Amino acid sequence: MRHIVLVSLLLLLVSRETSSSIQEDFMHCMSTQFGEYTRSFEIIFNQDSSLYSYILQSSVQNPRYLNATTPKPLLIITPFHESEIQAAVFCSKNHDLQIRVRSGGHDYEGLSYLCQTPFIIIDLINMRSIEINLEDETAWVQSGANLGELYYALAMKSLVHGFPAGLCPTVGIGGHLGGGGFGTLLRKYGLAADQVVDAYLIDVNGRILDRRAMGEDLFWAIRGGGGSSFGIILSWKIKLVRVPETVTSFTVLKTLEQGALELVHRWQYIAPKFHEDLFIRILIVHVGNGDQKTIHANFNSLFLGKIDRLIPLMNQSFPELGLRAEDCTEMSWVESTVYFAGFSKGSPLEMLLDKKQLFKSMFKAKSDFVTEPIPFHALEGIWGRLLEEEMAIMILDPFGGKMNEILESEVPFPHRNGVLYNIQYMVKWEANGVMASNRHIHWIRSLYKYMAPYVSRSPRAAYINYRDLDLGTNKLQNASYSEATAWGIKYFKSNFKRLALVKSKVDPGNFFRNEQSIPPFPTPGEIKHL
């Protein structure tokens, strides 16, 4: 036993010395690459830095990964300028280090800040500029900005322009657009990625490429295909969309006694067919405890118009909900983004700039797409399973409208015509221990298994921005296309092959990789051996 302890200590010391040597070599490499612009900034933080832990943890949105056994980056780089990122790519390749790029830190499985091999983090927290041009109704947004900052910047310029992205204001632009991105304007305008008209990307060779320079294949791939597989996206040019000066929001809560189950069942048939100005999602949540625990269904809506137009439309389309004018609130579109973010009614727009996420806790999530209404008896089974967990939630987002008009191949996100709605399953917990985590993860996996007969099939589809490593992972050093297909077709369907072909052209050595990055498509010689 004493011999084993001594060996372990020696290995630990060797590992620390090796890490220290790599850091020193990397820092020297960076210094030779930096220009005069960089020398006045402290942008590189090692594990001895007083700010290292703060920066590492500052945007981690799933505390499940904040523990002593989680691998930590050798260095964290917080660039102010693209030349610093170019230098980091060059030096990482030269020293066999992996790169993780973080904009908002919302990757559900932590892949923007976790790695099993020696790595650095490029944190884009200092690259968050937003330049809005109302003349051509576009904006350039750096990847380090978050959705709240974009919405706030729009509000300062216009009351009639919006952007069809997500609901959580702390989500980073880089990851959101890279995975597709959708929110309350989904049925009117489609995805956030559908509105991208240009981008700047640093490729594996350190070149900065815009749309024209990168070519249409790569430009296609980064808009919903997981942009981090192909390079480091610096900024995006997005097309703004028109919204009315006044919109209407409501949240109607229904209990089991008030017919919540029947209303959810009915909603499946009509929500994807509503007028495209009307978006009604459902949040199914477990509330109470002990003998008082039950399930509530919250019907949460944005309507692009005023109350006097909404009520007749609801009476015609969904009279069963019993919506009244007093249930509704008129507001500007940007005020609706504050409302949907979970802040109390009347909260100032500045809440969109708060980088602290509401309701942060450990969690595990999964996703599905529904193409046929779930039978009533199956919904009853879901209700029973939700009662087993204290902090369980299902979010049902309706599709239809504009989503039915866009081809599956337009961008890598393929879940379009024929999809009734998306489901996000999530379970949260407070105690960050192995046993507690395993229990909650087992529960959500069990619910996911139960849902198999009632959701999309061949493949059972999933949403890349609700990342789920249960679907499969790559072997990091030698990612296999055939093995990656297990998870790839669930996220991208037939678009997965095209993504792999693009990867083969722009990063054939698979430098930009993680557990669910796009692998290169095999060469003809490799195909023969598959």
Side-chain angles (χ1 to χ4, degrees):
M1 175 64 75
R2 184 178 178 184
H3 174 73
I4 294 173
V5 171
L6 287 172
V7 171
S8 298
L9 287 172
L10 284 171
L11 289 173
L12 181 60
L13 288 171
V14 170
S15 175
R16 287 180 176 175
E17 288 179 5
T18 302
S19 296
S20 178
S21 175
I22 293 173
Q23 288 183 34
E24 291 176 6
D25 292 345
F26 185 89
M27 295 280 280
H28 176 72
C29 177
M30 291 287 284
S31 69
T32 64
Q33 296 298 310
F34 283 166
E36 289 301 318
Y37 177 90
T38 303
R39 296 184 189 279
S40 59
F41 296 104
E42 183 186 15
I43 66 163
I44 304 177
F45 303 88
N46 62 27
Q47 296 183 10
D48 295 326
S49 168
S50 59
L51 291 176
Y52 175 89
S53 293
Y54 170 77
I55 296 171
L56 178 62
Q57 298 177 21
S58 61
S59 63
V60 171
Q61 305 299 339
N62 191 347
R64 173 179 157 205
Y65 299 110
L66 291 177
N67 55 61
T69 61
T70 299
K72 303 295 191 298
L74 295 177
L75 299 164
I76 302 173
I77 300 174
T78 58
F80 286 86
H81 192 265
E82 57 264 25
S83 63
E84 297 156 359
I85 302 177
Q86 290 173 298
V89 171
F90 175 83
C91 295
S92 295
K93 288 174 63 179
N94 278 4
H95 292 85
D96 198 25
L97 294 174
Q98 279 295 287
I99 289 178
R100 292 291 180 266
V101 181
R102 183 167 70 178
S103 51
H106 278 262
D107 189 290
Y108 276 18
E109 298 282 13
L111 298 192
S112 61
Y113 50 87
L114 298 176
C115 185
Q116 298 303 316
T117 59
F119 73 109
I120 67 168
I121 289 177
I122 297 177
D123 193 316
L124 300 178
I125 189 171
N126 295 321
M127 302 188 71
R128 54 197 322 118
S129 73
I130 300 169
E131 298 176 4
I132 296 171
N133 185 338
L134 291 183
E135 288 188 10
D136 65 0
E137 299 184 303
T138 63
W140 273 104
V141 187
Q142 286 189 311
S143 288
N146 60 40
L147 297 182
E149 291 167 335
L150 173 59
Y151 298 157
Y152 184 85
L154 282 173
M156 296 300 102
K157 293 281 188 177
S158 171
L159 291 177
V160 294
H161 288 88
F163 188 66
L167 279 60
C168 179
T170 57
V171 167
I173 289 288
H176 193 63
L177 296 185
F182 62 78
T184 58
L185 295 177
L186 170 79
R187 305 189 65 256
K188 180 72 172 181
Y189 291 110
L191 305 175
D194 293 330
Q195 319 306 321
V196 175
V197 294
D198 205 344
Y200 282 108
L201 170 144
I202 294 179
D203 73 359
V204 69
N205 297 312
R207 299 175 301 173
I208 298 177
L209 309 174
D210 64 2
R211 177 177 182 171
R212 183 176 180 180
M214 73 177 74
E216 289 302 303
D217 283 342
L218 179 52
F219 182 65
W220 172 84
I222 63 175
R223 292 175 294 150
S228 62
S229 295
F230 305 97
I232 299 174
I233 302 166
L234 301 172
S235 56
W236 310 76
K237 186 178 183 181
I238 57 173
K239 181 173 57 180
L240 306 178
V241 301
R242 289 294 185 111
V243 292
E245 285 194 22
T246 302
V247 303
T248 303
S249 296
F250 68 79
T251 300
V252 173
L253 183 154
K254 295 294 184 179
T255 65
L256 290 175
E257 294 75 20
Q258 293 171 322
L261 196 58
E262 289 79 6
L263 287 168
V264 172
H265 186 253
R266 175 62 180 153
W267 172 91
Q268 299 179 100
Y269 290 86
I270 55 177
K273 300 177 183 178
F274 284 151
H275 190 284
E276 63 182 12
D277 288 345
L278 180 59
F279 173 91
I280 303 178
R281 67 173 186 157
I282 304 177
L283 287 78
I284 304 172
V285 297
H286 176 168
V287 296
N289 49 62
D291 294 338
Q292 302 301 314
K293 63 183 179 181
T294 186
I295 301 296
H296 286 173
N298 296 285
F299 293 81
N300 191 209
S301 175
L302 174 71
F303 175 65
L304 299 176
K306 296 184 177 182
I307 294 174
D308 60 1
R309 181 169 158 240
L310 171 61
I311 296 300
L313 188 61
M314 286 294 292
N315 287 340
Q316 177 184 359
S317 303
F318 197 11
E320 298 89 345
L321 189 62
L323 183 69
R324 304 165 301 170
E326 51 264 40
D327 298 322
C328 306
T329 304
E330 292 183 345
M331 57 186 72
S332 67
W333 175 79
V334 75
E335 286 173 334
S336 80
T337 67
V338 178
Y339 175 80
F340 276 93
F343 295 107
S344 57
K345 190 180 297 185
S347 294
L349 297 184
E350 284 70 24
M351 299 304 293
L352 293 171
L353 303 178
D354 189 345
K355 294 179 177 59
K356 294 181 181 178
Q357 184 188 1
L358 291 175
F359 321 121
K360 184 184 288 191
S361 63
M362 278 69 72
F363 71 87
K364 170 67 180 176
K366 302 178 86 64
S367 65
D368 266 317
F369 289 90
V370 177
T371 55
E372 297 178 4
I374 297 174
F376 191 86
H377 71 85
L379 292 176
E380 290 180 308
I382 295 171
W383 252 243
R385 283 163 172 78
L386 290 174
L387 288 171
E388 297 170 359
E389 274 286 344
E390 292 183 3
M391 291 191 289
I393 184 170
M394 284 177 60
I395 302 174
L396 283 52
D397 285 307
F399 276 42
K402 183 67 173 179
M403 292 295 283
N404 286 348
E405 302 172 13
I406 302 173
L407 296 176
E408 287 190 359
S409 59
E410 186 70 21
V411 298
F413 181 102
H415 317 291
R416 304 285 189 168
N417 191 22
V419 173
L420 301 180
Y421 58 96
N422 168 262
I423 301 178
Q424 179 181 185
Y425 315 92
M426 183 175 287
V427 61
K428 300 182 178 184
W429 61 94
E430 299 295 338
N432 191 10
V434 174
M435 290 184 64
S437 296
N438 288 344
R439 177 167 59 84
H440 297 295
I441 292 171
H442 174 76
W443 175 85
I444 199 169
R445 287 171 176 167
S446 176
L447 174 62
Y448 185 75
K449 182 178 180 181
Y450 169 82
M451 292 296 295
Y454 312 114
V455 296
S456 60
R457 294 184 289 275
S458 300
R460 182 176 182 178
Y463 178 32
I464 183 68
N465 277 357
Y466 300 154
R467 192 187 299 279
D468 181 7
L469 293 185
D470 290 348
L471 302 180
T473 58
N474 296 338
K475 294 177 181 176
L476 287 183
Q477 296 298 325
N478 298 295
S480 161
Y481 172 79
S482 60
E483 291 176 348
T485 301
W487 58 264
I489 62 169
K490 294 175 182 178
Y491 290 139
F492 306 113
K493 300 171 72 171
S494 60
N495 290 334
F496 182 63
K497 180 180 179 180
R498 183 179 173 188
L499 286 167
L501 287 167
V502 174
K503 176 74 169 182
S504 300
K505 294 179 182 178
V506 302
D507 183 18
N510 200 27
F511 174 70
F512 292 111
R513 62 181 186 264
N514 60 44
E515 285 82 349
Q516 279 189 350
S517 59
I518 304 297
F521 193 76
T523 64
E526 292 170 331
I527 291 174
K528 291 180 181 179
H529 294 90
L530 291 179

